[in-house]
PDB file of all heavy atoms in Angstrom:
ATOM      1  N   SER E  22     -13.769   8.422   9.148  1.00  0.00           N
ATOM      2  CA  SER E  22     -12.332   8.236   8.913  1.00  0.00           C
ATOM      3  C   SER E  22     -11.824   6.994   9.633  1.00  0.00           C
ATOM      4  O   SER E  22     -12.371   6.596  10.669  1.00  0.00           O
ATOM      5  CB  SER E  22     -11.542   9.450   9.417  1.00  0.00           C
ATOM      6  OG  SER E  22     -11.900  10.629   8.736  1.00  0.00           O
ATOM      7  N   LEU E  23     -10.789   6.423   9.068  1.00  0.00           N
ATOM      8  CA  LEU E  23     -10.048   5.320   9.698  1.00  0.00           C
ATOM      9  C   LEU E  23      -8.580   5.494   9.359  1.00  0.00           C
ATOM     10  O   LEU E  23      -8.231   6.050   8.311  1.00  0.00           O
ATOM     11  CB  LEU E  23     -10.518   3.959   9.185  1.00  0.00           C
ATOM     12  CG  LEU E  23     -11.824   3.372   9.709  1.00  0.00           C
ATOM     13  CD1 LEU E  23     -12.144   2.072   8.962  1.00  0.00           C
ATOM     14  CD2 LEU E  23     -11.763   3.122  11.203  1.00  0.00           C
ATOM     15  N   ARG E  24      -7.742   4.958  10.224  1.00  0.00           N
ATOM     16  CA  ARG E  24      -6.319   4.948   9.937  1.00  0.00           C
ATOM     17  C   ARG E  24      -5.811   3.516  10.040  1.00  0.00           C
ATOM     18  O   ARG E  24      -5.932   2.888  11.093  1.00  0.00           O
ATOM     19  CB  ARG E  24      -5.524   5.840  10.888  1.00  0.00           C
ATOM     20  CG  ARG E  24      -4.068   6.000  10.454  1.00  0.00           C
ATOM     21  CD  ARG E  24      -3.306   6.942  11.345  1.00  0.00           C
ATOM     22  NE  ARG E  24      -2.892   6.308  12.590  1.00  0.00           N
ATOM     23  CZ  ARG E  24      -1.917   6.768  13.369  1.00  0.00           C
ATOM     24  NH1 ARG E  24      -1.274   7.870  13.026  1.00  0.00           N
ATOM     25  NH2 ARG E  24      -1.616   6.155  14.485  1.00  0.00           N
ATOM     26  N   LEU E  25      -5.278   3.039   8.939  1.00  0.00           N
ATOM     27  CA  LEU E  25      -4.696   1.698   8.903  1.00  0.00           C
ATOM     28  C   LEU E  25      -3.197   1.780   9.165  1.00  0.00           C
ATOM     29  O   LEU E  25      -2.531   2.715   8.710  1.00  0.00           O
ATOM     30  CB  LEU E  25      -4.943   1.033   7.550  1.00  0.00           C
ATOM     31  CG  LEU E  25      -6.390   0.928   7.087  1.00  0.00           C
ATOM     32  CD1 LEU E  25      -6.462   0.166   5.761  1.00  0.00           C
ATOM     33  CD2 LEU E  25      -7.260   0.268   8.128  1.00  0.00           C
ATOM     34  N   SER E  26      -2.707   0.785   9.866  1.00  0.00           N
ATOM     35  CA  SER E  26      -1.283   0.714  10.165  1.00  0.00           C
ATOM     36  C   SER E  26      -0.751  -0.661   9.762  1.00  0.00           C
ATOM     37  O   SER E  26      -1.447  -1.666   9.906  1.00  0.00           O
ATOM     38  CB  SER E  26      -1.046   0.944  11.653  1.00  0.00           C
ATOM     39  OG  SER E  26       0.321   0.831  11.972  1.00  0.00           O
ATOM     40  N   CYS E  27       0.473  -0.685   9.267  1.00  0.00           N
ATOM     41  CA  CYS E  27       1.119  -1.944   8.880  1.00  0.00           C
ATOM     42  C   CYS E  27       2.519  -1.959   9.475  1.00  0.00           C
ATOM     43  O   CYS E  27       3.337  -1.078   9.168  1.00  0.00           O
ATOM     44  CB  CYS E  27       1.175  -2.061   7.372  1.00  0.00           C
ATOM     45  SG  CYS E  27       2.097  -3.496   6.779  1.00  0.00           S
ATOM     46  N   ALA E  28       2.767  -2.937  10.322  1.00  0.00           N
ATOM     47  CA  ALA E  28       4.073  -3.064  10.964  1.00  0.00           C
ATOM     48  C   ALA E  28       4.837  -4.218  10.345  1.00  0.00           C
ATOM     49  O   ALA E  28       4.311  -5.334  10.233  1.00  0.00           O
ATOM     50  CB  ALA E  28       3.895  -3.297  12.455  1.00  0.00           C
ATOM     51  N   ALA E  29       6.062  -3.952   9.945  1.00  0.00           N
ATOM     52  CA  ALA E  29       6.911  -4.971   9.332  1.00  0.00           C
ATOM     53  C   ALA E  29       7.942  -5.460  10.332  1.00  0.00           C
ATOM     54  O   ALA E  29       8.454  -4.694  11.138  1.00  0.00           O
ATOM     55  CB  ALA E  29       7.603  -4.407   8.106  1.00  0.00           C
ATOM     56  N   SER E  30       8.236  -6.748  10.253  1.00  0.00           N
ATOM     57  CA  SER E  30       9.269  -7.333  11.105  1.00  0.00           C
ATOM     58  C   SER E  30       9.958  -8.453  10.341  1.00  0.00           C
ATOM     59  O   SER E  30       9.501  -8.875   9.280  1.00  0.00           O
ATOM     60  CB  SER E  30       8.659  -7.875  12.400  1.00  0.00           C
ATOM     61  OG  SER E  30       7.720  -8.904  12.119  1.00  0.00           O
ATOM     62  N   GLY E  31      11.073  -8.904  10.882  1.00  0.00           N
ATOM     63  CA  GLY E  31      11.797  -9.987  10.232  1.00  0.00           C
ATOM     64  C   GLY E  31      13.083  -9.483   9.604  1.00  0.00           C
ATOM     65  O   GLY E  31      13.741  -8.589  10.118  1.00  0.00           O
ATOM     66  N   SER E  32      13.421 -10.047   8.460  1.00  0.00           N
ATOM     67  CA  SER E  32      14.678  -9.727   7.774  1.00  0.00           C
ATOM     68  C   SER E  32      14.500  -8.473   6.928  1.00  0.00           C
ATOM     69  O   SER E  32      14.253  -8.532   5.723  1.00  0.00           O
ATOM     70  CB  SER E  32      15.110 -10.905   6.902  1.00  0.00           C
ATOM     71  OG  SER E  32      15.291 -12.059   7.678  1.00  0.00           O
ATOM     72  N   ILE E  33      14.632  -7.339   7.589  1.00  0.00           N
ATOM     73  CA  ILE E  33      14.402  -6.056   6.929  1.00  0.00           C
ATOM     74  C   ILE E  33      15.725  -5.349   6.719  1.00  0.00           C
ATOM     75  O   ILE E  33      16.518  -5.222   7.656  1.00  0.00           O
ATOM     76  CB  ILE E  33      13.483  -5.165   7.772  1.00  0.00           C
ATOM     77  CG1 ILE E  33      12.129  -5.847   7.981  1.00  0.00           C
ATOM     78  CG2 ILE E  33      13.295  -3.804   7.107  1.00  0.00           C
ATOM     79  CD1 ILE E  33      11.280  -5.173   9.032  1.00  0.00           C
ATOM     80  N   PHE E  34      15.965  -4.905   5.488  1.00  0.00           N
ATOM     81  CA  PHE E  34      17.112  -4.033   5.288  1.00  0.00           C
ATOM     82  C   PHE E  34      16.737  -2.788   4.501  1.00  0.00           C
ATOM     83  O   PHE E  34      17.139  -1.701   4.834  1.00  0.00           O
ATOM     84  CB  PHE E  34      18.292  -4.772   4.641  1.00  0.00           C
ATOM     85  CG  PHE E  34      17.949  -5.593   3.435  1.00  0.00           C
ATOM     86  CD1 PHE E  34      17.979  -5.043   2.167  1.00  0.00           C
ATOM     87  CD2 PHE E  34      17.617  -6.934   3.563  1.00  0.00           C
ATOM     88  CE1 PHE E  34      17.694  -5.804   1.049  1.00  0.00           C
ATOM     89  CE2 PHE E  34      17.330  -7.702   2.447  1.00  0.00           C
ATOM     90  CZ  PHE E  34      17.368  -7.129   1.183  1.00  0.00           C
ATOM     91  N   SER E  35      15.929  -2.909   3.477  1.00  0.00           N
ATOM     92  CA  SER E  35      15.533  -1.720   2.724  1.00  0.00           C
ATOM     93  C   SER E  35      14.320  -2.021   1.858  1.00  0.00           C
ATOM     94  O   SER E  35      14.411  -2.808   0.915  1.00  0.00           O
ATOM     95  CB  SER E  35      16.684  -1.235   1.833  1.00  0.00           C
ATOM     96  OG  SER E  35      16.296  -0.097   1.099  1.00  0.00           O
ATOM     97  N   PHE E  36      13.224  -1.386   2.209  1.00  0.00           N
ATOM     98  CA  PHE E  36      12.032  -1.553   1.397  1.00  0.00           C
ATOM     99  C   PHE E  36      12.064  -0.563   0.237  1.00  0.00           C
ATOM    100  O   PHE E  36      12.241   0.622   0.438  1.00  0.00           O
ATOM    101  CB  PHE E  36      10.776  -1.313   2.218  1.00  0.00           C
ATOM    102  CG  PHE E  36      10.537  -2.351   3.276  1.00  0.00           C
ATOM    103  CD1 PHE E  36      10.012  -1.997   4.503  1.00  0.00           C
ATOM    104  CD2 PHE E  36      10.804  -3.691   3.044  1.00  0.00           C
ATOM    105  CE1 PHE E  36       9.781  -2.952   5.486  1.00  0.00           C
ATOM    106  CE2 PHE E  36      10.578  -4.650   4.006  1.00  0.00           C
ATOM    107  CZ  PHE E  36      10.061  -4.274   5.240  1.00  0.00           C
ATOM    108  N   THR E  37      11.862  -1.078  -0.972  1.00  0.00           N
ATOM    109  CA  THR E  37      11.817  -0.213  -2.140  1.00  0.00           C
ATOM    110  C   THR E  37      10.490   0.516  -2.211  1.00  0.00           C
ATOM    111  O   THR E  37      10.424   1.717  -2.409  1.00  0.00           O
ATOM    112  CB  THR E  37      12.026  -1.035  -3.420  1.00  0.00           C
ATOM    113  OG1 THR E  37      13.218  -1.783  -3.298  1.00  0.00           O
ATOM    114  CG2 THR E  37      12.084  -0.131  -4.631  1.00  0.00           C
ATOM    115  N   ILE E  38       9.429  -0.251  -2.063  1.00  0.00           N
ATOM    116  CA  ILE E  38       8.070   0.285  -2.135  1.00  0.00           C
ATOM    117  C   ILE E  38       7.237  -0.315  -1.010  1.00  0.00           C
ATOM    118  O   ILE E  38       7.331  -1.511  -0.733  1.00  0.00           O
ATOM    119  CB  ILE E  38       7.418  -0.037  -3.498  1.00  0.00           C
ATOM    120  CG1 ILE E  38       8.154   0.672  -4.630  1.00  0.00           C
ATOM    121  CG2 ILE E  38       5.940   0.350  -3.504  1.00  0.00           C
ATOM    122  CD1 ILE E  38       7.650   0.307  -6.016  1.00  0.00           C
ATOM    123  N   MET E  39       6.426   0.517  -0.407  1.00  0.00           N
ATOM    124  CA  MET E  39       5.441   0.063   0.570  1.00  0.00           C
ATOM    125  C   MET E  39       4.086   0.545   0.073  1.00  0.00           C
ATOM    126  O   MET E  39       3.989   1.647  -0.466  1.00  0.00           O
ATOM    127  CB  MET E  39       5.720   0.611   1.965  1.00  0.00           C
ATOM    128  CG  MET E  39       7.122   0.304   2.471  1.00  0.00           C
ATOM    129  SD  MET E  39       7.449   0.944   4.127  1.00  0.00           S
ATOM    130  CE  MET E  39       6.628  -0.311   5.133  1.00  0.00           C
ATOM    131  N   GLY E  40       3.075  -0.286   0.244  1.00  0.00           N
ATOM    132  CA  GLY E  40       1.794   0.135  -0.303  1.00  0.00           C
ATOM    133  C   GLY E  40       0.609  -0.564   0.316  1.00  0.00           C
ATOM    134  O   GLY E  40       0.745  -1.497   1.106  1.00  0.00           O
ATOM    135  N   TRP E  41      -0.559  -0.055  -0.058  1.00  0.00           N
ATOM    136  CA  TRP E  41      -1.833  -0.609   0.366  1.00  0.00           C
ATOM    137  C   TRP E  41      -2.647  -1.003  -0.866  1.00  0.00           C
ATOM    138  O   TRP E  41      -2.685  -0.264  -1.849  1.00  0.00           O
ATOM    139  CB  TRP E  41      -2.617   0.400   1.196  1.00  0.00           C
ATOM    140  CG  TRP E  41      -2.034   0.651   2.542  1.00  0.00           C
ATOM    141  CD1 TRP E  41      -1.146   1.617   2.895  1.00  0.00           C
ATOM    142  CD2 TRP E  41      -2.279  -0.116   3.723  1.00  0.00           C
ATOM    143  NE1 TRP E  41      -0.825   1.508   4.220  1.00  0.00           N
ATOM    144  CE2 TRP E  41      -1.514   0.444   4.763  1.00  0.00           C
ATOM    145  CE3 TRP E  41      -3.087  -1.221   4.012  1.00  0.00           C
ATOM    146  CZ2 TRP E  41      -1.531  -0.060   6.059  1.00  0.00           C
ATOM    147  CZ3 TRP E  41      -3.106  -1.716   5.301  1.00  0.00           C
ATOM    148  CH2 TRP E  41      -2.326  -1.133   6.308  1.00  0.00           C
ATOM    149  N   TYR E  42      -3.288  -2.160  -0.758  1.00  0.00           N
ATOM    150  CA  TYR E  42      -4.154  -2.676  -1.804  1.00  0.00           C
ATOM    151  C   TYR E  42      -5.473  -3.067  -1.153  1.00  0.00           C
ATOM    152  O   TYR E  42      -5.546  -3.208   0.065  1.00  0.00           O
ATOM    153  CB  TYR E  42      -3.517  -3.897  -2.472  1.00  0.00           C
ATOM    154  CG  TYR E  42      -2.218  -3.588  -3.174  1.00  0.00           C
ATOM    155  CD1 TYR E  42      -1.054  -3.329  -2.452  1.00  0.00           C
ATOM    156  CD2 TYR E  42      -2.147  -3.545  -4.563  1.00  0.00           C
ATOM    157  CE1 TYR E  42       0.133  -3.028  -3.084  1.00  0.00           C
ATOM    158  CE2 TYR E  42      -0.963  -3.248  -5.211  1.00  0.00           C
ATOM    159  CZ  TYR E  42       0.165  -2.997  -4.464  1.00  0.00           C
ATOM    160  OH  TYR E  42       1.345  -2.698  -5.102  1.00  0.00           O
ATOM    161  N   ARG E  43      -6.484  -3.247  -1.953  1.00  0.00           N
ATOM    162  CA  ARG E  43      -7.757  -3.672  -1.385  1.00  0.00           C
ATOM    163  C   ARG E  43      -8.476  -4.618  -2.343  1.00  0.00           C
ATOM    164  O   ARG E  43      -8.254  -4.589  -3.546  1.00  0.00           O
ATOM    165  CB  ARG E  43      -8.649  -2.472  -1.068  1.00  0.00           C
ATOM    166  CG  ARG E  43      -9.145  -1.690  -2.270  1.00  0.00           C
ATOM    167  CD  ARG E  43      -9.889  -0.438  -1.817  1.00  0.00           C
ATOM    168  NE  ARG E  43     -10.403   0.332  -2.941  1.00  0.00           N
ATOM    169  CZ  ARG E  43     -10.970   1.534  -2.828  1.00  0.00           C
ATOM    170  NH1 ARG E  43     -11.096   2.100  -1.618  1.00  0.00           N
ATOM    171  NH2 ARG E  43     -11.417   2.168  -3.893  1.00  0.00           N
ATOM    172  N   GLN E  44      -9.326  -5.438  -1.752  1.00  0.00           N
ATOM    173  CA  GLN E  44     -10.107  -6.386  -2.540  1.00  0.00           C
ATOM    174  C   GLN E  44     -11.522  -6.420  -1.993  1.00  0.00           C
ATOM    175  O   GLN E  44     -11.738  -6.811  -0.836  1.00  0.00           O
ATOM    176  CB  GLN E  44      -9.481  -7.783  -2.505  1.00  0.00           C
ATOM    177  CG  GLN E  44     -10.159  -8.771  -3.432  1.00  0.00           C
ATOM    178  CD  GLN E  44      -9.354 -10.040  -3.619  1.00  0.00           C
ATOM    179  OE1 GLN E  44      -8.469 -10.359  -2.829  1.00  0.00           O
ATOM    180  NE2 GLN E  44      -9.646 -10.780  -4.672  1.00  0.00           N
ATOM    181  N   ALA E  45     -12.450  -5.998  -2.820  1.00  0.00           N
ATOM    182  CA  ALA E  45     -13.855  -6.040  -2.459  1.00  0.00           C
ATOM    183  C   ALA E  45     -14.446  -7.383  -2.879  1.00  0.00           C
ATOM    184  O   ALA E  45     -13.899  -8.046  -3.772  1.00  0.00           O
ATOM    185  CB  ALA E  45     -14.602  -4.895  -3.133  1.00  0.00           C
ATOM    186  N   PRO E  46     -15.545  -7.803  -2.281  1.00  0.00           N
ATOM    187  CA  PRO E  46     -16.157  -9.090  -2.640  1.00  0.00           C
ATOM    188  C   PRO E  46     -16.468  -9.168  -4.128  1.00  0.00           C
ATOM    189  O   PRO E  46     -17.063  -8.253  -4.696  1.00  0.00           O
ATOM    190  CB  PRO E  46     -17.447  -9.101  -1.806  1.00  0.00           C
ATOM    191  CG  PRO E  46     -17.135  -8.234  -0.640  1.00  0.00           C
ATOM    192  CD  PRO E  46     -16.252  -7.147  -1.172  1.00  0.00           C
ATOM    193  N   GLY E  47     -16.036 -10.250  -4.752  1.00  0.00           N
ATOM    194  CA  GLY E  47     -16.301 -10.463  -6.161  1.00  0.00           C
ATOM    195  C   GLY E  47     -15.443  -9.652  -7.107  1.00  0.00           C
ATOM    196  O   GLY E  47     -15.660  -9.678  -8.325  1.00  0.00           O
ATOM    197  N   LYS E  48     -14.469  -8.926  -6.570  1.00  0.00           N
ATOM    198  CA  LYS E  48     -13.606  -8.099  -7.411  1.00  0.00           C
ATOM    199  C   LYS E  48     -12.151  -8.483  -7.240  1.00  0.00           C
ATOM    200  O   LYS E  48     -11.770  -9.134  -6.273  1.00  0.00           O
ATOM    201  CB  LYS E  48     -13.802  -6.623  -7.069  1.00  0.00           C
ATOM    202  CG  LYS E  48     -15.195  -6.092  -7.378  1.00  0.00           C
ATOM    203  CD  LYS E  48     -15.257  -4.585  -7.184  1.00  0.00           C
ATOM    204  CE  LYS E  48     -16.620  -4.036  -7.559  1.00  0.00           C
ATOM    205  NZ  LYS E  48     -16.671  -2.551  -7.399  1.00  0.00           N
ATOM    206  N   GLN E  49     -11.335  -8.056  -8.202  1.00  0.00           N
ATOM    207  CA  GLN E  49      -9.905  -8.316  -8.113  1.00  0.00           C
ATOM    208  C   GLN E  49      -9.239  -7.345  -7.138  1.00  0.00           C
ATOM    209  O   GLN E  49      -9.733  -6.244  -6.898  1.00  0.00           O
ATOM    210  CB  GLN E  49      -9.267  -8.175  -9.500  1.00  0.00           C
ATOM    211  CG  GLN E  49      -9.642  -9.279 -10.472  1.00  0.00           C
ATOM    212  CD  GLN E  49      -8.845  -9.205 -11.765  1.00  0.00           C
ATOM    213  OE1 GLN E  49      -8.338  -8.155 -12.143  1.00  0.00           O
ATOM    214  NE2 GLN E  49      -8.713 -10.341 -12.439  1.00  0.00           N
ATOM    215  N   ARG E  50      -8.113  -7.783  -6.608  1.00  0.00           N
ATOM    216  CA  ARG E  50      -7.338  -6.906  -5.746  1.00  0.00           C
ATOM    217  C   ARG E  50      -6.807  -5.737  -6.564  1.00  0.00           C
ATOM    218  O   ARG E  50      -6.340  -5.920  -7.687  1.00  0.00           O
ATOM    219  CB  ARG E  50      -6.176  -7.679  -5.107  1.00  0.00           C
ATOM    220  CG  ARG E  50      -5.464  -6.937  -4.001  1.00  0.00           C
ATOM    221  CD  ARG E  50      -4.447  -7.814  -3.303  1.00  0.00           C
ATOM    222  NE  ARG E  50      -5.078  -8.980  -2.671  1.00  0.00           N
ATOM    223  CZ  ARG E  50      -4.418  -9.845  -1.900  1.00  0.00           C
ATOM    224  NH1 ARG E  50      -3.122  -9.671  -1.671  1.00  0.00           N
ATOM    225  NH2 ARG E  50      -5.057 -10.871  -1.376  1.00  0.00           N
ATOM    226  N   GLU E  51      -6.870  -4.532  -5.992  1.00  0.00           N
ATOM    227  CA  GLU E  51      -6.434  -3.348  -6.709  1.00  0.00           C
ATOM    228  C   GLU E  51      -5.530  -2.483  -5.834  1.00  0.00           C
ATOM    229  O   GLU E  51      -5.680  -2.476  -4.603  1.00  0.00           O
ATOM    230  CB  GLU E  51      -7.644  -2.514  -7.151  1.00  0.00           C
ATOM    231  CG  GLU E  51      -8.494  -2.000  -6.012  1.00  0.00           C
ATOM    232  CD  GLU E  51      -9.651  -1.128  -6.474  1.00  0.00           C
ATOM    233  OE1 GLU E  51      -9.885  -1.011  -7.691  1.00  0.00           O
ATOM    234  OE2 GLU E  51     -10.335  -0.555  -5.604  1.00  0.00           O
ATOM    235  N   PRO E  52      -4.609  -1.770  -6.437  1.00  0.00           N
ATOM    236  CA  PRO E  52      -3.758  -0.875  -5.664  1.00  0.00           C
ATOM    237  C   PRO E  52      -4.543   0.343  -5.187  1.00  0.00           C
ATOM    238  O   PRO E  52      -5.397   0.855  -5.907  1.00  0.00           O
ATOM    239  CB  PRO E  52      -2.661  -0.481  -6.650  1.00  0.00           C
ATOM    240  CG  PRO E  52      -3.272  -0.655  -7.994  1.00  0.00           C
ATOM    241  CD  PRO E  52      -4.242  -1.787  -7.875  1.00  0.00           C
ATOM    242  N   VAL E  53      -4.236   0.771  -3.986  1.00  0.00           N
ATOM    243  CA  VAL E  53      -4.876   1.950  -3.408  1.00  0.00           C
ATOM    244  C   VAL E  53      -3.877   3.105  -3.334  1.00  0.00           C
ATOM    245  O   VAL E  53      -4.141   4.205  -3.804  1.00  0.00           O
ATOM    246  CB  VAL E  53      -5.423   1.657  -1.999  1.00  0.00           C
ATOM    247  CG1 VAL E  53      -5.981   2.920  -1.357  1.00  0.00           C
ATOM    248  CG2 VAL E  53      -6.488   0.563  -2.059  1.00  0.00           C
ATOM    249  N   ALA E  54      -2.718   2.830  -2.748  1.00  0.00           N
ATOM    250  CA  ALA E  54      -1.700   3.870  -2.591  1.00  0.00           C
ATOM    251  C   ALA E  54      -0.360   3.207  -2.369  1.00  0.00           C
ATOM    252  O   ALA E  54      -0.278   2.163  -1.712  1.00  0.00           O
ATOM    253  CB  ALA E  54      -2.031   4.781  -1.412  1.00  0.00           C
ATOM    254  N   ILE E  55       0.693   3.827  -2.916  1.00  0.00           N
ATOM    255  CA  ILE E  55       2.042   3.329  -2.695  1.00  0.00           C
ATOM    256  C   ILE E  55       2.950   4.491  -2.337  1.00  0.00           C
ATOM    257  O   ILE E  55       2.660   5.647  -2.670  1.00  0.00           O
ATOM    258  CB  ILE E  55       2.616   2.588  -3.919  1.00  0.00           C
ATOM    259  CG1 ILE E  55       2.738   3.528  -5.111  1.00  0.00           C
ATOM    260  CG2 ILE E  55       1.779   1.365  -4.263  1.00  0.00           C
ATOM    261  CD1 ILE E  55       3.573   2.962  -6.247  1.00  0.00           C
ATOM    262  N   ILE E  56       4.047   4.149  -1.663  1.00  0.00           N
ATOM    263  CA  ILE E  56       5.052   5.151  -1.328  1.00  0.00           C
ATOM    264  C   ILE E  56       6.423   4.514  -1.528  1.00  0.00           C
ATOM    265  O   ILE E  56       6.664   3.379  -1.106  1.00  0.00           O
ATOM    266  CB  ILE E  56       4.870   5.691   0.107  1.00  0.00           C
ATOM    267  CG1 ILE E  56       5.870   6.808   0.399  1.00  0.00           C
ATOM    268  CG2 ILE E  56       4.953   4.569   1.145  1.00  0.00           C
ATOM    269  CD1 ILE E  56       5.539   7.596   1.667  1.00  0.00           C
ATOM    270  N   THR E  57       7.303   5.230  -2.203  1.00  0.00           N
ATOM    271  CA  THR E  57       8.634   4.698  -2.492  1.00  0.00           C
ATOM    272  C   THR E  57       9.612   5.052  -1.371  1.00  0.00           C
ATOM    273  O   THR E  57       9.290   5.820  -0.456  1.00  0.00           O
ATOM    274  CB  THR E  57       9.169   5.257  -3.813  1.00  0.00           C
ATOM    275  OG1 THR E  57       9.457   6.653  -3.636  1.00  0.00           O
ATOM    276  CG2 THR E  57       8.155   5.082  -4.938  1.00  0.00           C
ATOM    277  N   SER E  58      10.807   4.507  -1.479  1.00  0.00           N
ATOM    278  CA  SER E  58      11.828   4.774  -0.467  1.00  0.00           C
ATOM    279  C   SER E  58      12.218   6.251  -0.439  1.00  0.00           C
ATOM    280  O   SER E  58      12.692   6.748   0.588  1.00  0.00           O
ATOM    281  CB  SER E  58      13.064   3.917  -0.726  1.00  0.00           C
ATOM    282  OG  SER E  58      13.554   4.142  -2.034  1.00  0.00           O
ATOM    283  N   SER E  59      12.008   6.951  -1.545  1.00  0.00           N
ATOM    284  CA  SER E  59      12.333   8.378  -1.596  1.00  0.00           C
ATOM    285  C   SER E  59      11.161   9.255  -1.167  1.00  0.00           C
ATOM    286  O   SER E  59      11.290  10.484  -1.144  1.00  0.00           O
ATOM    287  CB  SER E  59      12.767   8.766  -3.010  1.00  0.00           C
ATOM    288  OG  SER E  59      11.709   8.555  -3.927  1.00  0.00           O
ATOM    289  N   GLY E  60      10.027   8.617  -0.863  1.00  0.00           N
ATOM    290  CA  GLY E  60       8.871   9.378  -0.393  1.00  0.00           C
ATOM    291  C   GLY E  60       7.867   9.743  -1.462  1.00  0.00           C
ATOM    292  O   GLY E  60       6.850  10.386  -1.168  1.00  0.00           O
ATOM    293  N   THR E  61       8.099   9.321  -2.683  1.00  0.00           N
ATOM    294  CA  THR E  61       7.133   9.574  -3.754  1.00  0.00           C
ATOM    295  C   THR E  61       5.881   8.742  -3.536  1.00  0.00           C
ATOM    296  O   THR E  61       5.967   7.551  -3.218  1.00  0.00           O
ATOM    297  CB  THR E  61       7.741   9.230  -5.118  1.00  0.00           C
ATOM    298  OG1 THR E  61       8.913  10.028  -5.324  1.00  0.00           O
ATOM    299  CG2 THR E  61       6.751   9.499  -6.235  1.00  0.00           C
ATOM    300  N   THR E  62       4.733   9.371  -3.687  1.00  0.00           N
ATOM    301  CA  THR E  62       3.470   8.676  -3.472  1.00  0.00           C
ATOM    302  C   THR E  62       2.654   8.613  -4.760  1.00  0.00           C
ATOM    303  O   THR E  62       2.812   9.450  -5.650  1.00  0.00           O
ATOM    304  CB  THR E  62       2.633   9.363  -2.389  1.00  0.00           C
ATOM    305  OG1 THR E  62       2.398  10.725  -2.770  1.00  0.00           O
ATOM    306  CG2 THR E  62       3.347   9.350  -1.046  1.00  0.00           C
ATOM    307  N   ASN E  63       1.785   7.619  -4.817  1.00  0.00           N
ATOM    308  CA  ASN E  63       0.895   7.469  -5.954  1.00  0.00           C
ATOM    309  C   ASN E  63      -0.414   6.888  -5.435  1.00  0.00           C
ATOM    310  O   ASN E  63      -0.388   5.979  -4.589  1.00  0.00           O
ATOM    311  CB  ASN E  63       1.511   6.565  -7.016  1.00  0.00           C
ATOM    312  CG  ASN E  63       0.833   6.728  -8.362  1.00  0.00           C
ATOM    313  OD1 ASN E  63      -0.012   7.595  -8.546  1.00  0.00           O
ATOM    314  ND2 ASN E  63       1.211   5.906  -9.317  1.00  0.00           N
ATOM    315  N   TYR E  64      -1.526   7.412  -5.943  1.00  0.00           N
ATOM    316  CA  TYR E  64      -2.833   7.001  -5.456  1.00  0.00           C
ATOM    317  C   TYR E  64      -3.742   6.569  -6.596  1.00  0.00           C
ATOM    318  O   TYR E  64      -3.659   7.086  -7.708  1.00  0.00           O
ATOM    319  CB  TYR E  64      -3.516   8.161  -4.717  1.00  0.00           C
ATOM    320  CG  TYR E  64      -2.802   8.625  -3.482  1.00  0.00           C
ATOM    321  CD1 TYR E  64      -1.859   9.646  -3.540  1.00  0.00           C
ATOM    322  CD2 TYR E  64      -3.075   8.057  -2.240  1.00  0.00           C
ATOM    323  CE1 TYR E  64      -1.189  10.070  -2.410  1.00  0.00           C
ATOM    324  CE2 TYR E  64      -2.420   8.488  -1.091  1.00  0.00           C
ATOM    325  CZ  TYR E  64      -1.482   9.485  -1.186  1.00  0.00           C
ATOM    326  OH  TYR E  64      -0.831   9.909  -0.050  1.00  0.00           O
ATOM    327  N   ALA E  65      -4.645   5.663  -6.272  1.00  0.00           N
ATOM    328  CA  ALA E  65      -5.702   5.346  -7.222  1.00  0.00           C
ATOM    329  C   ALA E  65      -6.592   6.576  -7.372  1.00  0.00           C
ATOM    330  O   ALA E  65      -6.791   7.325  -6.408  1.00  0.00           O
ATOM    331  CB  ALA E  65      -6.522   4.162  -6.713  1.00  0.00           C
ATOM    332  N   ASP E  66      -7.123   6.768  -8.569  1.00  0.00           N
ATOM    333  CA  ASP E  66      -7.969   7.932  -8.811  1.00  0.00           C
ATOM    334  C   ASP E  66      -9.150   7.995  -7.842  1.00  0.00           C
ATOM    335  O   ASP E  66      -9.582   9.072  -7.433  1.00  0.00           O
ATOM    336  CB  ASP E  66      -8.476   7.921 -10.254  1.00  0.00           C
ATOM    337  CG  ASP E  66      -7.392   8.238 -11.269  1.00  0.00           C
ATOM    338  OD1 ASP E  66      -6.349   8.802 -10.863  1.00  0.00           O
ATOM    339  OD2 ASP E  66      -7.579   7.933 -12.458  1.00  0.00           O
ATOM    340  N   SER E  67      -9.661   6.838  -7.478  1.00  0.00           N
ATOM    341  CA  SER E  67     -10.857   6.776  -6.644  1.00  0.00           C
ATOM    342  C   SER E  67     -10.628   7.263  -5.215  1.00  0.00           C
ATOM    343  O   SER E  67     -11.588   7.539  -4.490  1.00  0.00           O
ATOM    344  CB  SER E  67     -11.403   5.353  -6.609  1.00  0.00           C
ATOM    345  OG  SER E  67     -10.425   4.463  -6.105  1.00  0.00           O
TER     346      SER E  67
END
């Protein structure tokens, strides 16, 4: 297991969506998981 963390700073007022993406060598960047401002989540099937 691992836990990734992302800290935001700067001109922040309201994030609509926050998410994680990944890119493996030789492949395109793909979405992994997103979370909306209301807490709705969506995950890649994998």
Side-chain angles (χ1 to χ4, degrees):
S22 298
L23 283 175
R24 189 177 79 160
L25 304 183
S26 178
C27 174
S30 62
S32 301
I33 300 168
F34 48 89
S35 179
F36 293 143
T37 306
I38 295 175
M39 305 180 79
W41 290 92
Y42 297 73
R43 67 186 181 187
Q44 187 167 19
K48 295 187 177 181
Q49 290 188 337
R50 191 173 299 186
E51 62 178 7
V53 175
I55 63 167
I56 184 167
T57 70
S58 56
S59 62
T61 301
T62 58
N63 198 7
Y64 297 91
D66 288 342
S67 59

